[in-house]
Amino acid sequence: MKAKPQLVALLVGLSGLAAAYPLVKRQTAGSPKLVVAHHIVGNTAGFTLDNWTQDVTLASSKGIDGFALNIAADDFTFQQVGFAYQAAAAANPNFKVFLSLDMDALNNQINCNTTDAGAFVRNVTSTFLTQPAQLQIDGKAFVSTFAGESCTLGGADVFTGWNTEFTQHPDLAGKIHFVPSFFIDIQQFKNFKGVMDGDFNFNGGWPIDLTTKAAPQILGGTPDFNNLSPNQQAIIASQIGSFDLDDEHITQLGLVADSAHTYMTAVAPWFFTHFDQAHGNKNFIFDADDHLYVTRWQNVIQNRDKVDFVELVTWNDFGESHYLGPIEGNLPPGSEVWTNGFDHQGFLEITNHFATWYKTGAEPPITTDQLVMWARPHPKNAKASSDPLPPPTNFELTQDQLWAVVLATAPASLTLATGDNATQTFDVQPGVNKFNMSLTPGGFMQGTLTRNNVAVIDLKPDGYTFDPNPATFNFNVFVAAASGNAAAAPAPPASASSDPAAPPATSAATPASTDSASTSAAAAPTATSTDAAAVSDSADPPATSTVL
């Protein structure tokens, strides 16, 4: 699977777009919101039923309601998909799975413009559509895709092919709820009557139009990427996690006749890929700075009445560095260079908070302090001594920053450090807090959350150095996470409300226990603590903080 560029219709007056289509209230008793994760079956050739059970159990514990099984025509597809359905049914009856037909990968195995491709997608869909763990919507099996906008399945054209050879074929007619991700000019959605029951905006998770090439137009003039003005930085930050592309999709989806207009969008933590020509010739990033994962979640939550389902992109796409689950299975050849040692489960640790908030419409009480930190392993302008490839396209947009998020039970202070003489201390309010500071070449990452002069969390992960002299380019991210002990009687965050657009949390909550921190991800905290009252002694640019 690979992310694809998308032709988006140019719509005038984006500021008024949200009011340009009827707002359908999607939160009803019969239509609960769900959060699922995109699971690449192509990376599971050696999985056993136990592996799938472990993934289902882990995902369930983090507020995830199901897996979208990204599949092609591999010789292990039917076995592994069968394991996934079996594991879900046994481990958690409420955990559902569905097929996401990877038409790009399938086209490399079976020409997707042939009747053979049509027969395959009908066969695999029919095989599993009545399984107990199959996600059912309106009494029909939910089915999605990655791509397929160029596939006729043997029909006269794309629109006709998906209609006659899939959704309205006698094998499947009336049995499936089809929500594909077609990477086309979205003004073409209206041509998919009888095909699209909804739309999955796979690319919604990243600012795909924010590129180095487009930067002069977006930022005004030729920017100095090493010295952006505050206004230019603000423009970039405003595009990270934005809902604007979603609004465009929803508008065009509303023009599809005889459709349920189900809308599913993506939330993603990161994006970097670095394959040479022999392994796919992909070498680019999407800008994932400015706390993309949390910011995207917040924007989706603010617009939750427009979104039926959220799909986390992804559970295990190691080749593109947007995985949330454990590093396991068959890594795409070459990706181990930037994946091994770069666990992302720290993002997974805070997922339940945002997933619950999205599904219920009210921010859940924070009962345990949590700290997540992440950073790239080398400066963006570093020269790689042994890499045959250049740095990835769009690398200039990235910032050499340590990013941190605190989910706090009560007021506290956070001291971040990226070197022995580079520290910054921030006030922490109850609720969700976002911070960052400049990284130090040759330095480390450390975060200490202090309350009542006692360290609640002290996290300095082993295995991380901001290396100024890397052997290869790696724009993946190292993630570390830890949590403190549960609060005795935590109060709901001040921002808890049935209105997701409620003001940021500012009031105090019951103090949490000040016992030692415990880790919640792969990186372990040190036993030492820092003085949270220390002021910044770094020569780096001022850090920023946001409280939500």
Side-chain angles (χ1 to χ4, degrees), residues 269-273 317-323 338-339 344 476-477:
W270 203 255
F271 192 105
F272 162 65
T273 187
D317 192 336
F318 310 112
E320 294 180 352
S321 308
H322 43 69
Y323 50 94
W338 63 81
T339 300
H344 285 187
N476 194 3
V477 66

Side-chain angles (χ1 to χ4, degrees), residues 471-545:
T472 59
F473 292 114
N474 188 349
F475 283 72
N476 194 3
V477 66
F478 184 101
V479 186
S483 61
N485 286 350
S495 58
S497 169
S498 58
D499 177 9
T506 55
S507 63
T510 303
S513 165
T514 55
D515 290 343
S516 309
S518 61
T519 55
S520 58
T526 60
T528 61
S529 64
T530 58
D531 180 3
V535 297
S536 171
D537 57 5
S538 169
D540 294 325
T544 62
S545 64

Side-chain angles (χ1 to χ4, degrees), residues 272-276 282-284 319 334 338 387 389-392 472-473:
F272 162 65
T273 187
H274 195 60
F275 288 110
D276 60 23
K282 299 193 304 180
N283 184 25
F284 64 98
W338 63 81
D387 198 327
L389 296 178
T472 59
F473 292 114

Side-chain angles (χ1 to χ4, degrees), residues 26 104 132 174 216 227 298 332 537:
R26 300 174 184 269
D104 261 10
N227 189 29
Q298 291 166 334
D537 57 5

Side-chain angles (χ1 to χ4, degrees), residues 23-60:
L23 178 61
V24 178
K25 289 289 184 180
R26 300 174 184 269
Q27 181 65 19
T28 65
S31 301
K33 296 185 182 297
L34 298 175
V35 175
V36 300
H38 198 85
H39 200 301
I40 310 296
V41 176
N43 291 341
T44 68
F47 265 33
T48 65
L49 179 59
D50 285 344
N51 293 125
W52 281 106
T53 300
Q54 291 165 10
D55 276 3
V56 168
T57 302
L58 177 61
S60 297

Side-chain angles (χ1 to χ4, degrees), residues 87 90 137 146 232 263 272 314 351 355 360 451 476 498 509:
I137 300 298
F146 176 84
Q232 290 173 323
Y263 185 64
F272 162 65
T314 60
T351 295
T360 65
R451 184 177 294 115
N476 194 3
S498 58

Side-chain angles (χ1 to χ4, degrees), residues 208-232:
I208 62 171
D209 294 326
L210 179 60
T211 65
T212 302
K213 184 176 181 180
Q217 180 179 0
I218 295 172
L219 301 178
T222 302
D224 177 358
F225 291 108
N226 296 316
N227 189 29
L228 294 173
S229 70
N231 182 60
Q232 290 173 323

Side-chain angles (χ1 to χ4, degrees), residues 1 36-38 200-202 205-206 265-270 311-315 320 322-324:
M1 189 193 73
V36 300
H38 198 85
F200 170 35
N201 182 10
F202 183 94
W206 307 280
T265 196
V267 172
W270 203 255
E311 186 163 319
L312 301 176
V313 179
T314 60
W315 183 262
E320 294 180 352
H322 43 69
Y323 50 94
L324 293 165

